[in-house]
Amino acid sequence: MAEKHPEPNSERSKTPLLGTVLAVQANYYQVKIDSGWENSSETPNPGKFDAESNNAKLLCTRRARLKKIGQQVMVGDRAIVEEPDWIGGRGAIADILPRETELDRPPIANANQILLVFALADPPLEPYQLSRFLVKAETTGLDVSLCLNKSDLVTEQQIQQWRSRILSWGYEAIAISVRTGTGLEQLKDSLRDRITVLAGPSGVGKSSIINYLIPNVNLRVGEVSGKLSRGRHTTRHVELFELPTGGLLADTPGFNQPDLDCSPEELAFYFPEARQRLESDTCQFSDCLHSDEPNCAVRGEWERYEHYLDFLSDAIARQEKLNQQSDRDEALKLKTKRGKSQYEPRLETKKYRRPSRRTEQQKLEELYQDSDL
Ligand code: GDP
Ligand code: ZN
């Protein structure tokens, strides 16, 4: 269909509508229009979600200009909408505001945080699994928060023990129970006016939480639960659910052991305990991997150091495998150095260089891929 030419002096161009893309389906975008936007002189603020907004949703196409410049529209995008047809519920996306964050798979723009859900019991809370999820979540670059569900199944003392243990890892966990209602107000507060991506292993109560937060989403939660519909986990179906108290929630399927794929060098930065040590002290070697190097600031008496070493050996093995592939691919002469710095030259290659922060954010895709294993 032919695009109309823009009308530069029209009333419309002075008062653009701004909204948030909630769902993408084929070439259509469901955009929730901010209320009162047209009267506001406020600067557009990507990632901010207006809790007062009404329910004006328009099914929009993407302007040809955006297609031409290859500008994709993602769920979570802040979109400038033109030519609203309020009766027909249609509109056209003329532009996208700069993104604050961007996840690749699932494609979600402007997410603020990842909320990890674990259960205190049934299934039992496994520190190693929790640690893996936390590190994986950290690789996205988003804020990471944690809630521990099913607090009704354990004693108050057990709850406090877990909370202080996890606090020593650098995380303040909220203990909740969907069954009894404990902690749910605090959970709601932590989601208010933010775009949150929910993740965690299956059976911990994620569907129950969504169900509680968004009562009218019932049917969809059934679809999401993972056991019923694996197909739902594909990126095509990414959708943001509106929380009645303001904010948006993206669900994820359950997954059991997320695959870590960060480089050995960056791993330490995904442990708050190690980060904290590196802030106040430095290692003797700038390329220290904090395993057995002398005068290391990170090695020491912190509980998850064992997890760090374990993930590190995985990361080194993966890096070496990549390097071998890279050697074959590029027929490069391997510059062998002594010890574990062997793989370092490879990090400089175009293909395997240290990823940018934005790329790191895209790693959330692993959370989704793993669920289909
Ligand atoms: P999901 O796989 O993470 O989506 O978990 P579900 O929401 O399907 O919940 C798994 C099971 O845990 C269900 O049988 C729920 O009824 C139960 N469950 C969820 N929340 C709680 C809770 O707070 N306490 C208890 N005791 N059971 C819960
Ligand atoms: Zn070190």
Side-chain angles (χ1 to χ4, degrees):
M1 212 174 79
E3 279 296 315
K4 275 191 221 159
H5 287 294
E7 301 152 45
N9 296 321
S10 71
E11 207 47 38
R12 192 182 64 233
S13 62
K14 277 182 235 151
T15 58
L17 288 171
L18 191 67
T20 302
V21 179
L22 296 184
V24 177
Q25 212 164 39
N27 292 319
Y28 287 95
Y29 307 90
Q30 191 193 56
V31 182
K32 182 185 162 124
I33 305 296
D34 297 358
S35 72
W37 163 251
E38 48 282 285
N39 307 321
S40 149
S41 56
E42 210 180 299
T43 324
N45 188 355
K48 263 271 151 54
F49 190 78
D50 179 7
E52 310 317 340
S53 48
N54 62 22
N55 269 325
K57 287 181 197 163
L58 299 177
L59 195 60
C60 297
T61 53
R62 184 171 55 138
R63 279 256 186 260
R65 189 186 71 84
L66 292 184
K67 286 180 203 155
K68 247 175 248 158
I69 62 172
Q71 173 67 68
Q72 296 298 318
V73 177
M74 298 164 88
V75 153
D77 262 328
R78 299 287 283 150
I80 293 174
V81 173
E82 291 181 346
E83 293 180 36
D85 165 8
W86 298 107
I87 293 155
R90 298 300 184 106
I93 295 177
D95 216 341
I96 293 299
L97 300 187
R99 291 170 185 146
E100 283 190 345
T101 64
E102 182 182 318
L103 301 175
D104 188 36
R105 226 167 85 183
I108 300 178
N110 300 320
N112 307 106
Q113 62 179 349
I114 294 182
L115 175 66
L116 284 182
V117 182
F118 271 72
L120 285 154
D122 187 24
L125 184 43
E126 302 281 357
Y128 184 82
Q129 187 195 38
L130 174 56
S131 214
R132 258 189 116 87
F133 271 76
L134 285 167
V135 170
K136 184 73 197 182
E138 291 281 355
T139 64
T140 65
L142 303 183
D143 288 350
V144 177
S145 54
L146 174 63
C147 80
L148 304 174
N149 189 30
K150 309 199 189 185
S151 63
D152 56 290
L153 297 180
V154 297
T155 65
E156 185 59 32
Q157 198 192 3
Q158 286 172 306
I159 295 171
Q160 291 318 324
Q161 276 169 358
W162 273 114
R163 290 193 65 223
S164 61
R165 185 170 175 183
I166 292 167
L167 191 62
S168 79
W169 299 4
Y171 299 94
E172 215 165 317
I174 311 176
I176 65 163
S177 166
V178 181
R179 186 151 296 174
T180 65
T182 305
L184 295 181
E185 283 306 312
Q186 201 190 339
L187 175 65
K188 270 188 187 171
D189 283 345
S190 74
L191 303 176
R192 206 180 297 276
D193 298 334
R194 313 195 80 198
I195 299 182
T196 304
V197 180
L198 196 68
S202 57
V204 297
K206 292 185 304 301
S207 308
S208 309
I209 289 171
I210 295 173
N211 214 3
Y212 163 80
L213 292 169
I214 316 164
N216 60 4
V217 83
N218 241 321
L219 200 126
R220 209 170 275 288
V221 171
E223 284 175 44
V224 173
S225 69
K227 298 144 210 155
L228 298 174
S229 162
R230 284 181 165 266
R232 175 91 180 44
H233 302 162
T234 60
T235 56
R236 280 174 298 141
H237 292 97
V238 176
E239 184 170 353
L240 291 173
F241 299 118
E242 299 175 75
L243 299 167
T245 48
L248 298 170
L249 192 64
D251 60 69
T252 72
F255 58 107
N256 291 318
Q257 206 62 272
D259 204 22
L260 299 179
D261 60 358
C262 62
S263 75
E265 286 74 12
E266 61 191 318
L267 183 64
F269 294 96
Y270 303 138
F271 286 80
E273 311 95 306
R275 255 185 344 240
Q276 195 199 350
R277 283 171 167 77
L278 286 168
E279 271 161 24
S280 54
D281 206 353
T282 44
C283 300
Q284 181 178 336
F285 298 105
S286 61
D287 59 354
C288 186
L289 290 179
H290 325 301
S291 56
D292 46 17
E293 296 89 340
N295 301 315
C296 170
V298 169
R299 186 177 56 237
E301 298 293 311
W302 45 288
E303 189 195 352
R304 293 203 300 162
Y305 182 59
E306 287 301 314
H307 297 171
Y308 170 77
L309 288 180
D310 199 75
F311 300 162
L312 180 67
S313 63
D314 285 358
I316 289 173
R318 192 173 40 250
Q319 194 79 67
E320 279 170 352
K321 211 170 141 202
L322 286 176
N323 290 342
Q324 282 164 12
Q325 281 168 9
S326 157
D327 285 343
R328 278 198 299 273
D329 294 352
E330 300 169 35
L332 283 177
K333 208 173 137 197
L334 186 66
K335 265 197 232 157
T336 308
K337 280 193 183 176
R338 265 173 298 137
K340 35 179 193 321
S341 49
Q342 218 169 357
Y343 52 82
E344 278 180 359
R346 298 287 151 242
L347 290 173
E348 300 305 316
T349 64
K350 202 177 168 203
K351 209 166 168 185
Y352 303 116
R353 66 169 181 238
R354 185 178 164 145
S356 68
R357 187 175 168 85
R358 184 170 139 158
T359 316
E360 286 167 18
Q361 287 173 350
Q362 295 173 352
K363 287 184 182 168
L364 190 74
E365 72 186 60
E366 291 295 327
L367 301 180
Y368 293 78
Q369 279 175 340
D370 293 335
S371 67
D372 289 324
L373 290 178

